Amino acid sequence: MASSAISHHSAIFSANKEVGVKSSLNSSSNIYKCRKSVLCKNLTVMAAAQLSRAPSTTGSVKHGMTMTEKILAKASDRAKLEPGENIWVNVDVLMTHDVCGPGTFGIFKREFGENAKVWDREKVVIIPEHYIFTKDERANRNVDILREFCIEQNIKYFYDIKDLSNFRANPDYKGVCHIALAQEGHCRPGEVLLGTDSHTCNAGAFGQFATGIGNTDAGFVLGTGKALLKVPPTLRFELDGEMPPYLLAKDLILHIIGEITVSGATYKSMEFVGSTVDSLNMEERMTLCNMVIEAGGKNGVVPPDETTFKYLEDKTTVKYEPLYSDANARFVADYKFDVSKLEPVVAKPHSPDNCALARECKDVKIDRVYIGSCTGGKTEDFMAAARVFLASGKKVKVPTFLVPATQKVWMDIYSLPVPGSGGKTCSQIFEEAGCDTPASPNCGACLGGPRDTYARMNEPMVCVSTTNRNFPGRMGHKEGQIYLASPYTAAASALAGFVTDPREFLG
Amino acid sequence: MATTQAPVPVSTIRASSQRLQCPIKTHSLHFATNSSNFDKLVKASLSLKQSRKKTLTIPHATPSSSPSPPTTFHGQCYVLGDNIDTDQIIPAEHLTLVPSKPDEYKKLGSFAFSGLPSSLYPIPFIEPGTDSTQYLIIIAGANFGCGSSLEHAPVALGAAGVQAVVAESYARTFFRNSLATGAVYPLELEQEGVNKQCTTGDIVTVDLERNVFINHTKGKEFVLKPIGDAGPVIAAGGMFAYARKTGMIP
């Protein structure tokens, strides 16, 4: 089809642009772009051929499909498809939250009728979590709107909250939607998950197609259970080597975004493979896929394996079918990273691709540290921060805000022992280090929020954060400066009062 | 019900069709039974003509009596750089406003671009005390609308009175949401660096028939990539409206 040829063309153009992009980490990283210019030439030849005939009608040479292509093929009942094709997919799960739910429901009713019913009451997951612990009346009203809709439609999965003064008094309330989806078993290999939030790509860690959509698209899915999607070509990222003890998945994805820029994966899928990826646990894989959107990516995927299946064992009984890229699948570009040579990094203000070595920012005085969000507020993230505080034994020099993503994470912080601490929990270590008390689980100040949001930046200041975006005004104040970092780097920075490489404290 | 809009001839210049996420949607609550008709409609609407460099013709055969879709936009422009993310377009604290409620829709518009740092953008997009903008056309660099997949960004711009955005390139979520909502026309420039040649307040024209962007104040003309199949969707008012207008859904 012509459309797929054109998408290959633009892939060539974008790949060409990237060849000229300077890697900001040349000295310490070992990045190998796999024959990109040769790939481009091959694509040119293939694209030209496709302009004159449609492969599906002439039975052309069969080639393999990438994981994303396979998942979309299955979801659209197609034997095969090509990047660039517009296809109708069956949606397995649709998620919305308090910011987009009301608008989505408004559109649903306007288009399908006041008495319309959602396509499947068990496939819609409604999670209030963005602006919860606030006195903002509209924010509170939006949660009520979610509830009214769920009652009317008899929605099975609604993680409600009524008592805003005490999150623990709400047994259904979960917290940050993307982590709640994972913890509640809604993320499954081979499926299509759409959500009204950019970090829906987080779920790609489970080997499924997951991406963010707007209210209108979501309203359409609510009524029909289908979505019109364009098949993205895939960028492949091979991460090999043993993960150094001072590095986390957040460092890996910041390196990658720094390499390909904030538009490097636009309209594309990002597939993460390699021995390092295999060694990551599910939460670390989520961190990797979570920030795919920050590179402009449509979705991210990690091949499911025993780690995935084990995680899902006690969370879901729904049958799933893992899908994997064929050996002869075509990728638009290949990147190889030797992880053992990478160093901790930060994304400096004001862009997630403004990548720099943490140790080269050690003169940057900071005012606060924020550890939270779907990107950096999971159990593993807090365990990591606790390890740094434990190793140091000292107190933080700046206000350090801890916002667990979900109720489960909050409970883990208060109950799981931190290895090597003699049985202390994260919460005890945080208290001894002088951090703020872990707050109510929600999205919090990652995106600023209503003015009274806990840890919102209401004056210009410098913050090291485990969150996902640092564009101007992201955490509240337009002149605020946000350094995105891993939990290790965030904790180290809190202890030093400056942006700090975690190797200052970790072996 | 199986009426088909005459396929709009489109140019296959690069990313115009690449950017075409959702040309036409149709639906039926009994999706399964209508799937064969549905497939035909989708195939017809999505087929792209192979001919190159045809000018865009706006379809005339619209069943309703609404005025023909616009082919030009004219007015003052507001100029931005690269990577303008959604939080700068509409700060997250305003996301409690529900766009499907008319009064909140208007309020959302009044906050459009209030997230821009004033040190870089000293001219306010919306005059304090007013709730809509005098700048009907936005000129931007690369990757406009990156960040959130929420619709509030294009919706806020549309609510503020913006008619068209002329950018070097778009984040896919912003482009897709512009089509779905019909809020603004997301036009793409053929060449890079055009925003550097424009100044906020310049009088400009966007001509969708000739696919050119003219800066009258600077006396320069630039080529636009044709909006293609996306044009009628936005002209109709978004996905659902277009599907209804063309008789694809009741």
Side-chain angles (χ1 to χ4, degrees):
Chain A
M1 280 297 296
S3 55
S4 72
I6 287 153
S7 77
H8 278 299
H9 266 295
S10 57
I12 295 163
F13 284 103
S14 61
N16 275 330
K17 273 193 219 155
E18 283 160 45
V19 167
V21 166
K22 185 170 75 76
S23 168
S24 50
L25 307 147
N26 281 328
S27 55
S28 56
S29 61
N30 190 350
I31 296 164
Y32 167 57
K33 286 197 200 121
C34 177
R35 297 179 299 124
K36 203 113 73 101
S37 52
V38 176
L39 266 169
C40 291
K41 291 202 183 83
N42 287 339
L43 279 170
T44 314
V45 170
M46 278 163 16
Q50 282 172 329
L51 269 173
S52 52
R53 59 182 187 148
S56 55
T57 58
T58 60
S60 73
V61 174
K62 296 211 186 316
H63 61 82
M65 289 195 285
T66 66
M67 195 162 139
T68 294
E69 289 158 26
K70 279 191 172 174
I71 295 169
L72 294 178
K74 177 169 162 226
S76 56
D77 295 317
R78 301 266 302 263
K80 59 195 292 294
L81 41 71
E82 305 265 330
E85 288 191 55
N86 291 300
I87 52 164
W88 288 97
V89 300
N90 296 311
V91 178
D92 293 290
V93 177
L94 174 74
M95 181 280 298
T96 189
H97 48 49
D98 51 304
V99 165
C100 287
T104 301
F105 304 152
I107 291 169
F108 169 69
K109 294 206 158 184
R110 187 188 73 204
E111 302 296 340
F112 294 97
E114 275 300 315
N115 298 323
K117 292 285 176 233
V118 302
W119 101 98
D120 189 325
R121 60 170 284 275
E122 296 196 10
K123 292 188 175 172
V124 182
V125 184
I126 302 193
I127 313 182
E129 38 84 90
H130 257 59
Y131 302 153
I132 304 299
F133 305 102
T134 170
K135 290 191 165 43
D136 185 303
E137 281 173 11
R138 265 202 304 269
N140 299 154
R141 168 208 67 178
N142 288 345
V143 180
D144 293 338
I145 294 176
L146 293 186
R147 188 177 310 112
E148 277 160 29
F149 187 82
C150 288
I151 291 171
E152 175 202 295
Q153 299 279 336
N154 195 18
I155 298 293
K156 185 169 180 184
Y157 301 108
F158 172 47
Y159 301 130
D160 196 4
I161 179 164
K162 290 188 172 115
D163 183 351
L164 305 181
S165 65
N166 176 15
F167 72 90
R168 306 205 65 205
N170 302 277
D172 292 335
Y173 179 70
K174 306 293 171 202
V176 174
C177 58
H178 307 300
I179 309 309
L181 282 171
Q183 291 179 333
E184 298 308 310
H186 295 298
C187 302
R188 293 173 289 262
E191 290 195 1
V192 170
L193 164 71
L194 301 182
T196 58
D197 190 87
S198 61
H199 294 106
T200 307
C201 50
N202 186 81
F206 290 84
Q208 64 175 144
F209 179 90
T211 195
I213 57 175
N215 293 2
T216 303
D217 279 323
F220 186 90
V221 176
L222 269 186
T224 64
K226 288 185 190 261
L228 184 66
L229 295 174
K230 189 185 193 91
V231 181
T234 302
L235 299 171
R236 194 161 176 268
F237 296 89
E238 202 172 314
L239 308 170
D240 284 308
E242 195 177 322
M243 192 80 153
Y246 42 82
L247 222 60
L248 290 169
K250 179 69 172 278
D251 294 295
L252 302 181
I253 189 66
L254 285 179
H255 269 279
I256 290 172
I257 297 170
E259 177 67 20
I260 69 175
T261 81
V262 287
S263 54
T266 300
Y267 287 95
K268 299 191 185 70
S269 176
M270 294 173 72
E271 187 170 324
F272 302 102
V273 298
S275 60
T276 316
V277 177
D278 293 343
S279 74
L280 296 177
N281 58 45
M282 287 312 297
E283 294 204 340
E284 284 280 85
R285 294 178 187 190
M286 282 189 241
T287 305
L288 211 54
C289 292
N290 180 285
M291 288 184 72
V292 156
I293 184 63
E294 268 62 74
K298 183 149 179 165
N299 73 303
V301 280
V302 171
D305 57 8
E306 279 310 311
T307 306
T308 323
F309 309 143
K310 192 119 179 58
Y311 182 93
L312 289 172
E313 248 171 33
D314 60 344
K315 295 182 178 64
T316 183
T317 52
V318 175
K319 284 204 176 345
Y320 52 82
E321 184 198 343
L323 296 168
Y324 302 92
S325 288
D326 291 326
N328 59 344
R330 287 181 303 183
F331 295 92
V332 154
D334 248 288
Y335 293 84
K336 288 191 180 7
F337 289 78
D338 180 351
V339 169
S340 65
K341 298 203 164 55
L342 297 181
E343 296 185 67
V345 287
V346 294
K348 298 190 294 186
H350 299 274
S351 178
D353 65 4
N354 193 6
C355 192
L357 294 177
R359 62 176 164 83
E360 284 177 358
C361 298
K362 63 184 195 315
D363 294 327
V364 176
K365 193 167 194 308
I366 66 175
D367 299 304
R368 49 166 55 183
V369 166
Y370 185 95
I371 302 178
S373 82
C374 51
T375 317
K378 307 182 285 297
T379 301
E380 290 296 324
D381 300 311
F382 286 106
M383 287 291 233
R387 280 199 283 279
V388 174
F389 292 130
L390 184 70
S392 150
K394 302 265 192 336
K395 283 194 182 315
V396 296
K397 294 203 164 77
V398 295
T400 302
F401 304 102
L402 312 171
V403 186
T406 63
Q407 284 227 42
K408 280 211 174 92
V409 174
W410 186 94
M411 293 195 296
D412 286 345
I413 290 175
Y414 278 90
S415 60
L416 294 181
V418 176
S421 69
K424 286 187 189 159
T425 61
C426 287
S427 57
Q428 287 171 311
I429 293 171
F430 293 147
E431 195 181 327
E432 283 167 15
C435 301
D436 257 40
T437 309
S440 304
N442 75 124
C443 292
C446 169
L447 69 163
R451 290 286 157 118
D452 62 347
T453 302
Y454 174 75
R456 187 184 197 276
M457 211 191 283
N458 291 323
E459 286 144 25
M461 43 179 87
V462 183
C463 177
V464 173
S465 174
T466 63
T467 55
N468 42 58
R469 293 203 272 268
N470 60 347
F471 294 109
R474 174 69 178 170
M475 290 185 89
H477 199 282
K478 284 198 268 189
E479 265 93 64
Q481 300 199 47
I482 303 162
Y483 286 75
L484 301 176
S486 79
Y488 279 161
T489 305
S493 304
L495 290 166
F498 290 79
V499 174
T500 303
D501 188 306
R503 284 174 288 189
E504 296 294 314
F505 301 99
L506 295 174
Chain B
M1 168 105 163
T3 53
T4 313
Q5 182 73 19
V8 177
V10 297
S11 165
T12 50
I13 290 176
R14 251 202 294 147
S16 64
S17 34
Q18 186 220 358
R19 295 292 183 257
L20 184 57
Q21 288 281 331
C22 307
I24 287 162
K25 272 187 180 171
T26 184
H27 79 277
S28 164
L29 289 175
H30 308 287
F31 226 74
T33 53
N34 283 357
S35 58
S36 61
N37 275 344
F38 180 71
D39 283 342
K40 271 193 256 165
L41 285 169
V42 171
K43 280 193 176 59
S45 63
L46 290 179
S47 69
L48 299 172
K49 291 287 187 249
Q50 300 284 348
S51 56
R52 297 190 175 276
K53 298 216 166 116
K54 271 200 177 158
T55 40
L56 172 73
T57 35
I58 309 292
H60 301 296
T62 49
S64 71
S65 60
S66 58
S68 53
T71 55
T72 60
F73 302 111
H74 181 84
Q76 289 184 74
C77 70
Y78 193 89
V79 182
L80 298 159
D82 292 336
N83 299 322
I84 299 298
D85 79 302
T86 48
D87 287 337
Q88 293 181 78
I89 298 174
I90 182 77
E93 63 183 308
H94 302 303
L95 298 182
T96 48
L97 295 162
V98 175
S100 53
K101 294 179 187 293
D103 53 331
E104 296 190 17
Y105 169 82
K106 208 165 154 57
K107 213 155 187 281
L108 201 63
S110 71
F111 291 118
F113 283 129
S114 57
L116 291 173
S118 26
S119 50
L120 294 173
Y121 300 99
I123 302 172
F125 182 69
I126 294 178
E127 281 300 311
T130 65
D131 58 14
S132 59
T133 185
Q134 57 187 291
Y135 304 101
L136 306 184
I137 295 158
I138 309 289
I139 315 299
N143 202 25
F144 184 78
C146 60
S148 174
S149 65
L150 273 48
E151 278 180 357
H152 298 64
V155 169
L157 294 182
V162 174
Q163 291 175 346
V165 180
V166 178
E168 208 171 288
S169 62
Y170 292 94
R172 50 160 289 277
T173 43
F174 183 89
F175 188 86
R176 188 186 171 106
N177 286 333
S178 297
L179 293 198
T181 57
V184 290
Y185 277 82
L187 296 155
E188 226 173 316
L189 290 152
E190 279 285 355
Q191 124 197 17
E192 290 175 17
V194 172
N195 57 331
K196 296 192 173 71
Q197 300 183 54
C198 299
T199 313
T200 294
D202 285 351
I203 306 294
V204 301
T205 298
V206 172
D207 186 333
L208 293 181
E209 266 182 354
R210 291 177 50 223
N211 291 316
V212 289
F213 163 65
I214 306 162
N215 185 327
H216 300 286
T217 308
K218 299 281 195 298
K220 290 188 176 171
E221 202 172 286
F222 304 96
V223 180
L224 291 173
K225 294 178 189 165
I227 194 142
D229 274 348
V233 177
I234 302 168
M239 307 296 319
F240 283 107
Y242 183 79
R244 206 158 272 126
K245 192 176 207 178
T246 53
M248 296 175 110
I249 57 173

